[in-house]
Amino acid sequence: MIPSPARPIRLLIVDDSAYNRRNIADVFANHSEVEVVGKAGDGEEALKLVTTLAPDVITLDLEMPRMDGFTFLRILMSKTPTPVIVISSYSQRENIFKALELGALDFVPKPDRLGPEATEARAEILQKVLLVRSLRTSFAAMTLVPKPSSGAFRVDEKVGGGDDRSAAPARPYRMPRTLVAIASSTGGPSALLHLFGRIAPSTQAAFVVAQHMPDKFTRTFAERLDRRGPVRTVEASDGDVVARATGFVCPGRKCMEMVLSGSQLSLSVAPATKEDRYVPSGNRLMRSAAGAFGARCVGVILTGMGDDGVEGGRAIRDAGGVVIAESQETAVVNGMPAAAVRAGIASEVLPLPEIGEYLAKM
């Protein structure tokens, strides 16, 4: 159950380093909203403490002796689904996304040292642990994202693959018939992996994503989306051409906009400005999509805190396009979708599987 405001959030810290366990606990020393109820040095000890302590949230290191973080996550999510914040180094990007697919809620990049000098990381740990109060009232394990069926597509049928943009022969440019602009935050990576796994190989749409994520992780995430389905997906670069069956993830700490020049659609990628409340900005992406593609736009607002996507979604609706908000039954954090619903801009409010069906049939 999600803790009520009347009592502190019960936190279990799991890390094989006594130094890290101590420093993570110190983050909450002066915060009455969080109570550190236990510490564990490996997955086996953590599973025992989950049973006896019933924590509301867990911070988790992935590389541990005896039982690593992946095995712990598999067992935890099958028996006692509990929100997990992964704290792992920048060098373990692939492992972090694997953990998110196994059910972890979110992650914090771990610096070389987590002492008092690591102010940014410590603030982010605090913020994401406090986020547990914003989760839907009954947290269920985020199931493993289904892989595409074996006959859905072949890698060599993509326009390109992974980071090698010249791996496939050049094809004549074909303007997308539809542009799908997606905004997401906490819980978004797993939701996006699900959606990209549902896209039909015959799609004539293009997909652009503003996922709130640190800059050193968006490229790895784009590569995982690329492997998930038939859409050739990369981390966006300034000037990239947007064609049918292509996907682009906005780099962290930057914002992405659509540019229509004659009969060609491309991207403008630039650092965020002081006016951008969220980075990457779903609002900027969707507003530019509405300006470039009008009624041929579909805006999708997925799980996350705040209200990113509302202004951009309004621009898409005003231009005659469609805006889909994820429903509260599947949105891990219902802030962004609920804000879209309250603003009256959502054309449809759908659970995640039905959004996948919508994109598959589009």
Side-chain angles (χ1 to χ4, degrees):
M1 293 295 293
I2 303 305
S4 70
R7 69 168 177 84
I9 297 168
R10 295 171 59 81
L11 169 65
L12 172 64
I13 299 169
V14 186
D15 197 304
D16 66 335
S17 165
Y19 173 83
N20 285 337
R21 293 196 298 271
R22 182 175 65 253
N23 278 289
I24 293 171
D26 285 347
V27 171
F28 305 97
N30 298 315
H31 290 274
S32 59
E33 289 187 66
V34 180
E35 177 187 4
V36 177
V37 295
K39 303 174 187 176
D42 61 68
E44 286 186 10
E45 183 184 4
L47 286 174
K48 294 175 184 177
L49 291 178
V50 167
T51 301
T52 58
L53 299 175
D56 301 311
V57 61
I58 300 167
T59 62
L60 177 67
D61 185 26
L62 295 176
E63 294 186 346
M64 298 180 294
R66 297 175 65 192
M67 181 186 289
D68 63 19
F70 303 117
T71 305
F72 170 77
L73 272 170
R74 289 188 185 97
I75 297 172
L76 177 77
M77 294 304 176
S78 65
K79 294 186 175 181
T80 316
T82 306
V84 172
I85 309 297
V86 172
I87 303 178
S88 188
S89 67
Y90 283 102
S91 62
Q92 301 296 317
R93 290 187 282 273
E94 279 286 351
N95 285 343
I96 286 175
F97 288 112
K98 180 180 176 182
L100 292 175
E101 291 182 49
L102 289 172
L105 173 67
D106 209 337
F107 69 93
V108 176
K110 180 166 61 179
D112 293 336
R113 293 179 63 82
L114 263 174
E117 71 282 358
T119 54
E120 186 175 342
R122 291 164 71 95
E124 193 170 359
I125 291 170
L126 173 62
Q127 174 195 3
K128 292 192 175 180
V129 166
L130 292 174
L131 182 68
V132 72
R133 292 204 193 278
S134 301
L135 301 182
R136 59 178 185 264
T137 52
S138 94
F139 180 85
M142 296 168 68
T143 57
L144 289 177
V145 180
K147 291 180 172 59
S149 61
S150 58
F153 71 100
R154 299 195 316 272
V155 172
D156 60 3
E157 288 177 337
K158 294 186 181 185
V159 177
D163 187 55
D164 184 359
R165 301 190 182 204
S166 60
R171 298 183 181 182
Y173 174 75
R174 294 196 299 168
M175 175 78 80
R177 288 195 174 180
T178 308
L179 180 63
V180 181
I182 305 174
S184 53
S185 188
T186 303
S190 294
L192 286 161
L193 284 163
H194 173 83
L195 294 183
F196 273 61
R198 294 299 311 276
I199 297 169
S202 59
T203 185
Q204 298 183 49
F207 301 81
V208 287
V209 176
Q211 164 68 43
H212 301 165
M213 185 178 290
D215 57 315
K216 294 182 180 179
F217 291 84
T218 43
R219 178 175 179 177
T220 302
F221 181 54
E223 291 169 356
R224 292 189 82 87
L225 290 178
D226 181 65
R227 296 195 293 270
R228 181 60 62 184
V231 173
R232 183 216 179 193
T233 305
V234 296
E235 183 187 57
S237 296
D238 189 50
D240 277 345
V241 174
V242 181
R244 294 183 187 182
T246 60
F248 297 89
V249 176
C250 183
R253 298 199 180 192
K254 294 186 178 180
C255 290
M256 181 168 69
E257 294 183 311
M258 315 305 301
V259 178
L260 182 62
S261 179
S263 58
Q264 181 171 287
L265 186 65
S266 63
L267 296 175
S268 170
V269 178
T273 68
K274 293 180 180 179
E275 286 71 38
D276 294 310
R277 291 173 54 217
Y278 303 98
V279 181
S281 172
N283 281 324
R284 274 182 70 175
L285 177 62
M286 290 185 178
R287 281 197 301 265
S288 67
F293 246 54
R296 292 188 290 164
C297 280
V298 176
V300 180
I301 301 174
L302 299 176
T303 171
M305 282 288 289
D307 61 0
D308 194 18
V310 171
E311 293 177 15
R314 181 177 288 110
I316 290 177
R317 280 296 302 270
D318 290 346
V322 172
V323 177
I324 301 172
E326 185 178 1
S327 68
Q328 63 179 350
E329 64 189 275
T330 60
V332 177
V333 180
N334 195 35
M336 286 167 52
V341 173
R342 287 195 302 271
I345 64 160
S347 315
E348 302 278 353
V349 182
L350 303 173
L352 188 65
E354 291 185 25
I355 299 175
E357 291 175 9
Y358 183 98
L359 297 182
K361 294 175 181 177
M362 191 172 58

